[in-house]
Amino acid sequence: MKSATTAPGDVTSFSLGLALPLGLAFAIFFVLPLAQLFYLSLHNDTAATVWGLGQYIKFLTDPFSLAVLGSTLLLGAEVTLACLVLGYPIAWLYQRSGSRVQTLIIMIVLLPLLTSVVVRTFAWIVILGRQGIINSVLQSLGLIGTPLRMIYTQGGLIAALAQVQMPLMVLPLITAIGRIDPNLSDASASLGAGSWRTFVKVMLPLSMPGIIAGCTLTYAAAITAFITQSLVGGGQMLFMPMYLYQQASTLQNWPFAAAISIIFLFAVLAIVALFSTLGRRARGYGDAR
Amino acid sequence: MASVSEAKSLVLDRITHRFASGTMAVSDINLDVKGGEIIALLGPSGCGKTTLLRIIAGFIGQSEGRVIIGNDVVDALPPNRRAVGIVFQNYALFPHLSISENVGYGLAARGVDKATRAKEAQRLLDMVQLGPFGERLPRQLSGGQQQRVALARALAIKPSILLLDEPFAALDKNLRLDMQIEVKRLQRMAGTTTLIVTHDQEEALSMADRVAVLSHGHLEQFGTPSEIYDQPQTLFVNSFVGTANKMKGVVVATDASGAKVALEAGGEIIARAPKPVSASDKVTVCLRPEHLTFVTDDTGFAGEIGMALPLGATVVHEIKAKDGTSIKISQARTGGTPLREAGTPVRVAPLAPGLATVFPE
Ligand SMILES: Nc1ncnc2c1ncn2[C@@H]1O[C@H](COP(=O)(O)OP(=O)(O)OP(=O)(O)O)[C@@H](O)[C@H]1O
Ligand SMILES: [Mg+2]
């Protein structure tokens, strides 16, 4: 880095110099292992001695593996949608509340992040289980005869994941909505637009940066949430992180596990890229049409 | 403009607004605006001008009083049903929509089809001389151009009332003058009843048919620019609009036309009294610099020249009165107006008795 030799006024080299520690950590603990993973995945045998694309071919031609990938990506989409639908009104409410209510909302939204993932996950098992809180309440009210199956279902898993990932959705949304000039909704109203029209034509497009950021974070977090997926999802549903873990840990098939990681990584990157392209198109800024 | 919207009157009836925080932003405002008039709301920062505008637009529900547009009390109507156009101080153009979409926004909300909308937007943009800019985004325009877009957008819905909140504050001086003329021209063409908020008195006096002067949420005076300037009803109006020399004194006698006041600086002055005063009241006498003249007889009051300021077309002399009050007197600069030396003893009196105004303390 040239920061030591450049004049103090040079802002760019200053910030590059300051980014050095993080950059180094990033290189050592992220880029290096990733390269190693990639190297590993390019071998056809478990001992990693024969070069080849066999692991990738195996994954991409195996219906079971593809189904696991598909259901993982779908799970992410469902959790993201749930977070967006539930989180947007919360962020909206936050921007329209007094400071005391704002503090309360932030507390409630952040709470899941402040509890241990294991404790939180077992709490969901207690709530959703056969003899869990929801079932016993419904039974004692006489609304159901036999307990509902909620734990180890896709729905239960989505609820549990959505709760944990909610802050990742709500915080960017709060920022984005807060940046919108409050006069814009007044202007829209004075031009004759009702509140729904104002929301769809003005507020929604202008909060798109927050929606994209929130969706990207939530999506990435939901599909990689190993512990919640395994404990609340149970044995019947298999997702990529667990699949990967089984291949690496139980079956000791490291090259295949590495190939799964790389494929998973690119699938996620593709989806993230899709998000931002869609978002940019919907927003319409940046280029004069 | 092709179609002239029907000019509606606007009546503010005892409007009072208290914010939840307890601030009394406007109190007991009565305003009777005729259809097609331009009214300026003039007052210092924080006097409640924006609050009043937001009440008329329907963004704030007033604590007390009624807003009447035409023959209808509109208090129960939400902003989108009031047909009140508003131009915000920061323009508040929709940043993600093109200029032409911004202007067509109100028509879209009224269900006008796309082709008609585009045509109407183009007509309005031509009117504000921004015809070729329809495809641009707001941030690709200058401040003055954005301002005109905001105006076109507000006029597109043919509002019965047009509200402008400090519309020229962000513009530099030359552009401001152009825009003032432009707005006045458009307003005349459209015949829309218009309220302009400003804290610039020149703007208020030059643009408005009538001016409402506000201070601390109270309506101080509502009248034509010349009434406001020549016959101020309160001390606040007299000193806020134009400049005024203030002198302390005591009333010695009163009659129908005004009062005779003995100044603390010595001498007596006959002054108009908009508010009733009686003998031996302590009062403040306001004298505009351009209404004073040097005299050689024993009327007015005595003092000595402090400083002479030749300001181009006018000459201003600063005079120290006997009690130390500093008085300014300005005169048109003609060939025969000599600059007076500092320290010269002089006598100063109003050009005519009615030009001094007296207010109770
Ligand atoms: N939302 C609000 N809550 C509480 N008080 C407010 C609010 N908005 C304005 N006020 C107060 O009401 C008073 C009038 O404010 P207003 O914005 O109407 O002033 P203004 O005349 O438009 O001033 P300026 O020329 O600076 O724009 C001020 O004392 C202000 O602090
Ligand atoms: Mg204001």
Side-chain angles (χ1 to χ4, degrees):
Chain A
M1 287 285 131
K2 277 197 269 169
S3 64
T5 55
T6 4
D10 194 333
V11 177
T12 315
S13 55
F14 243 126
S15 40
L16 281 181
L18 289 174
L20 191 59
L22 186 63
L24 272 180
F26 191 72
I28 294 171
F29 297 110
F30 185 72
V31 178
L32 223 56
L34 200 64
Q36 201 183 355
L37 210 60
F38 187 56
Y39 168 82
L40 208 56
S41 74
L42 294 175
H43 291 87
N44 284 348
D45 61 328
T46 19
T49 49
V50 186
W51 287 89
L53 290 172
Q55 306 296 354
Y56 289 96
I57 295 168
K58 183 173 151 199
F59 187 98
L60 295 171
T61 52
D62 174 24
F64 178 77
S65 300
L66 289 175
V68 172
L69 177 62
S71 63
T72 309
L73 297 181
L74 182 67
L75 177 74
E78 287 168 332
V79 173
T80 305
L81 192 67
C83 282
L84 183 60
V85 170
L86 298 174
Y88 202 97
I90 296 177
W92 186 273
L93 190 68
Y94 177 90
Q95 288 300 350
R96 270 156 190 66
S97 310
S99 58
R100 207 166 308 162
V101 180
Q102 287 189 336
T103 316
L104 193 71
I105 291 176
I106 285 288
M107 284 277 290
I108 293 173
V109 168
L110 287 184
L111 212 55
L113 280 188
L114 305 177
T115 30
S116 139
V117 59
V118 177
V119 171
R120 199 173 53 216
T121 304
F122 276 107
W124 274 106
I125 294 177
V126 170
I127 293 170
L128 299 174
R130 276 185 75 81
Q131 268 82 46
I133 296 169
I134 296 182
N135 271 324
S136 35
V137 168
L138 289 179
Q139 268 179 319
S140 63
L141 289 175
L143 291 173
I144 51 170
T146 51
L148 296 175
R149 217 174 79 91
M150 286 176 290
I151 187 91
Y152 309 139
T153 64
Q154 183 92 353
L157 180 55
I158 291 171
L161 283 171
Q163 184 224 7
V164 190
Q165 320 305 355
M166 197 56 90
L168 301 179
M169 179 63 83
V170 171
L171 296 180
L173 282 179
I174 284 179
T175 315
I177 295 176
R179 265 204 219 115
I180 302 176
D181 176 2
N183 280 343
L184 290 181
S185 54
D186 284 346
S188 173
S190 76
L191 290 167
S195 26
W196 179 246
R197 190 179 187 90
T198 300
F199 177 73
V200 174
K201 296 283 176 186
V202 179
M203 300 310 282
L204 204 56
L206 290 178
S207 41
M208 205 44 95
I211 295 178
I212 293 168
C215 285
T216 310
L217 291 173
T218 316
Y219 192 85
I223 56 175
T224 51
F226 179 62
I227 296 178
T228 312
Q229 281 174 7
S230 328
L231 292 183
V232 183
Q236 287 96 327
M237 285 176 279
L238 185 60
F239 299 105
M240 289 295 270
M242 188 59 174
Y243 188 40
L244 211 164
Y245 175 78
Q246 286 173 350
Q247 293 301 323
S249 231
T250 320
L251 302 175
Q252 293 288 318
N253 190 349
W254 285 90
F256 188 51
I260 294 177
S261 300
I262 300 290
I263 289 170
F264 192 33
L265 181 70
F266 277 98
V268 173
L269 284 180
I271 299 239
V272 168
L274 185 72
F275 270 138
S276 49
T277 320
L278 280 181
R280 212 169 304 133
R281 178 129 347 133
R283 201 165 37 147
Y285 285 93
D287 51 338
R289 289 153 301 157
Chain B
M1 212 156 156
S3 59
V4 170
S5 52
E6 188 193 335
K8 288 202 178 169
S9 62
L10 169 71
V11 175
L12 301 185
D13 179 25
R14 293 172 294 106
I15 297 286
T16 295
H17 188 72
R18 217 174 284 100
F19 279 107
S21 60
T23 315
M24 182 74 116
V26 290
S27 108
D28 201 28
I29 304 268
N30 292 292
L31 223 53
D32 199 335
V33 183
K34 292 197 280 283
E37 268 190 308
I38 299 195
I39 302 296
L41 291 179
L42 176 65
S45 188
C47 70
K49 305 180 295 287
T50 298
T51 307
L52 203 55
L53 227 56
R54 296 180 68 81
I55 288 171
I56 299 170
F59 304 137
I60 300 179
Q62 69 273 24
S63 320
E64 286 164 44
R66 299 183 303 165
V67 177
I68 304 163
I69 296 177
N71 298 317
D72 308 315
V73 178
V74 297
D75 299 328
L77 292 182
N80 54 330
R81 310 251 319 270
R82 288 198 183 188
V84 169
I86 179 161
V87 175
F88 293 86
Q89 179 169 352
N90 65 354
Y91 319 138
L93 297 177
F94 304 120
H96 58 303
L97 300 181
S98 73
I99 295 307
S100 136
E101 286 168 333
N102 263 280
V103 176
Y105 188 92
L107 298 172
R110 279 163 177 69
V112 174
D113 69 86
K114 201 164 181 179
T116 318
R117 227 153 66 204
K119 229 173 86 197
E120 182 66 7
Q122 191 55 51
R123 189 182 67 75
L124 284 152
L125 285 175
D126 287 337
M127 186 180 76
V128 296
Q129 288 150 22
L130 287 175
F133 295 91
E135 296 304 306
R136 292 207 195 173
L137 288 174
R139 62 183 165 74
Q140 296 169 318
L141 296 189
S142 74
Q145 292 169 333
Q146 291 186 23
Q147 157 103 65
R148 279 183 273 168
V149 175
L151 192 64
R153 183 179 70 174
L155 287 175
I157 60 166
K158 301 203 165 64
S160 43
I161 309 286
L162 180 63
L163 306 174
L164 305 159
D165 192 355
E166 310 226 11
F168 313 116
L171 307 180
D172 65 42
K173 209 169 171 190
N174 290 333
L175 191 55
R176 189 182 312 177
L177 195 61
D178 287 349
M179 281 307 297
Q180 287 170 353
I181 294 168
E182 183 72 7
V183 166
K184 190 143 180 167
R185 183 177 71 87
L186 294 172
Q187 192 271 347
R188 288 269 179 271
M189 270 163 67
T192 315
T193 311
T194 302
L195 250 72
I196 296 187
V197 160
T198 177
H199 55 240
D200 176 349
Q201 44 160 307
E202 278 179 24
E203 186 169 296
L205 297 178
S206 66
M207 289 193 73
D209 298 319
R210 285 193 290 166
V211 178
V213 185
L214 297 175
S215 154
H216 292 110
H218 291 277
L219 181 61
E220 294 273 332
Q221 188 173 351
F222 183 37
T224 63
S226 40
E227 279 167 2
I228 297 286
Y229 194 84
D230 297 329
Q231 292 150 43
Q233 298 297 306
T234 66
L235 183 57
F236 176 83
V237 175
N238 202 335
S239 34
F240 186 73
V241 181
T243 38
N245 296 303
K246 285 185 235 174
M247 302 186 82
K248 302 229 171 288
V250 176
V251 176
V252 289
T254 59
D255 64 16
S257 68
K260 184 188 265 186
V261 181
L263 298 174
E264 279 179 14
E268 286 185 346
I269 272 186
I270 296 181
R272 197 175 59 83
K275 294 266 158 67
V277 290
S278 43
S280 78
D281 279 357
K282 288 193 151 200
V283 291
T284 301
V285 175
C286 286
L287 296 159
R288 295 209 185 275
E290 68 273 24
H291 290 162
L292 287 173
T293 186
F294 294 107
V295 291
T296 45
D297 54 17
D298 61 353
T299 58
F301 57 93
E304 65 179 41
I305 301 286
M307 207 189 292
L309 305 165
L311 302 175
T314 56
V315 176
V316 174
H317 285 97
E318 191 221 358
I319 292 155
K320 285 262 166 286
K322 286 274 162 59
D323 63 346
T325 325
S326 154
I327 302 292
K328 289 199 180 68
I329 158 170
S330 83
Q331 295 167 294
R333 189 174 198 170
T334 58
T337 320
L339 289 184
R340 292 170 196 247
E341 293 282 321
T344 319
V346 287
R347 266 197 100 79
V348 175
L351 284 161
L355 292 177
T357 317
V358 61
F359 298 101
E361 293 229 324

